[in-house]
Amino acid sequence: MTPDRIGIMGAMDAEITEFLGHADLIESTEWRGFTFHTVRLEGREAVLVKSGIGKVFSALVSQHLIDAFAPEALIFTGVAGALNPAYEIGDVVISRDCIQHDVDGRALGFARGNLLYTDLKIFAADPDLARIALSADAVGHNIRSGRILTGDQFMTRDQINHHRYLVDELHGDAVEMEGGAMAQVCAVNGIPFVVVRTISDRADGDAVEDFNRFLPEVARNSFAIVRHILSRLPRSA
Ligand code: ADE
């Protein structure tokens, strides 16, 4: 793999502003109210975009990014809630794989997370992208390889008590709202991907308070890891 142009997505302003502040802007283009910024960062071209929150926005923007900019890989960056008790706020989780936890066709005989009438459930991240990401330094925090669960719900302690399956059945390490949808789009298009998320809260703890408090600070950790990926990716001749 020799990715020259990389697509970088974040759901919220706080998750992409750090990039815009550090990259050289080449041009910005608008599509359906989304702004795609073509930048140079670490000697490489990247297309940065804020998707908005949730699976539909993530899928919509991923597909347009692929169609209009032909990136060789996609990275989703931002924050996530911890499910794994060992994870702490500020730790970075690199997707080993993603599952959409709110896909539920069990009434029709499908396993939870299995997209109905397909054999798609676990979307594996690109091993090279994940390996490079894991070699980064999270400066004072742990960097971990984990399973990221995606769904259109912000998970709090109350919710988790009704969603024990996130850990017990799906073995999730972190939960967020976009990565698994981008992963599905990448699988359909045959594009490598990785999700880089910094833990902003414990999904089974004081998620709302911690999320609001730590979002700007921890979003910076994800930026450092993505920058590291860009600097280490092999280049085409
Ligand atoms: N993103 C960050 N924290 C989250 C949580 N607790 N649930 C879903 N998405 C999140």
Side-chain angles (χ1 to χ4, degrees), residues 79-81 153-156 175-177 200-201 203 207 211:
V79 297
Q153 299 81 17
F154 185 86
M155 289 295 174
T156 62
V175 62
E176 41 84 301
M177 302 177 71
S200 57
D201 57 87
F211 175 79

Side-chain angles (χ1 to χ4, degrees), residues 108 123 130 174:
L108 295 170
F123 294 96

